[in-house]
Amino acid sequence: MLRYEDLLDRLYSRLPTKGPAQPIELPQLDVVHVGLHTHIKNFKEVCDRIRREPRIVMRYLLKELAAKGSLDDSNNLTIFSRISSQTLNTLFNRFLMSYVRCSTCGSFDTVLKKQGKVWIISCLACGAETPVKPV
């Protein structure tokens, strides 16, 4: 019969080692104004970096701005009004805090998935799952 301490030691030896969390380097949005339109040139790269579909991020930004916009063939966002880069980056940071950052460990290494009618942030670092309001 094994002692409790032996079982505990065996359990801890099988757990993966947790290294220091690498801070993720999130790029700023590359905003260009053409006439009355606002283009985000690196929109696809930023969405790939945070593991989110460009349509979801676009839907959030356009809803918050109360503006119309579209994605082109290379998934760059065009907003049909003139928006400052500071406003867009502030809204994008708010999106990151609400729909990307893990509320348990603070990691940005997450995926957003839909289970039924509920959107859930699943953390790849700590394994936590947190429901969020729909985008």
Side-chain angles (χ1 to χ4, degrees):
M1 184 134 167
L2 293 174
R3 293 181 330 153
Y4 175 74
E5 289 81 18
D6 295 333
L7 291 172
L8 199 57
D9 288 339
R10 187 171 71 182
L11 171 74
Y12 281 124
S13 69
R14 291 184 181 181
L15 286 175
T17 57
K18 185 175 180 182
Q22 297 290 333
I24 186 169
E25 180 84 21
L26 296 173
Q28 294 290 315
L29 298 176
D30 184 14
V31 179
V32 177
H33 299 289
V34 178
L36 294 177
H37 293 178
T38 304
H39 297 279
I40 302 176
K41 294 293 184 186
N42 63 342
F43 191 67
K44 181 180 178 355
E45 292 83 20
V46 169
C47 291
D48 289 345
R49 191 81 173 264
I50 62 172
R51 292 188 180 101
R52 296 297 181 267
E53 286 187 34
R55 292 209 170 279
I56 292 174
V57 181
M58 176 191 77
R59 191 169 26 187
Y60 176 83
L61 290 175
L62 294 179
K63 184 177 175 185
E64 290 293 316
L65 292 168
K68 292 184 179 185
S70 67
L71 290 172
D72 62 11
D73 294 337
S74 59
N75 281 334
N76 291 323
L77 179 61
T78 301
I79 302 171
F80 302 137
S81 60
R82 193 171 180 90
I83 309 294
S84 71
S85 62
Q86 181 182 3
T87 302
L88 284 172
N89 280 309
T90 302
L91 282 175
F92 183 68
N93 286 332
R94 196 179 306 160
F95 176 82
L96 290 175
M97 294 303 138
S98 299
Y99 293 99
V100 179
R101 186 174 169 266
C102 175
S103 61
T104 303
C105 69
S107 173
F108 288 95
D109 195 14
T110 62
V111 291
L112 185 66
K113 57 186 178 180
K114 190 173 183 180
Q115 291 181 350
K117 293 183 178 181
V118 180
W119 288 93
I120 294 177
I121 294 176
S122 180
C123 183
L124 301 175
C126 70
E129 291 188 343
T130 308
V132 292
K133 65 181 186 178
V135 182

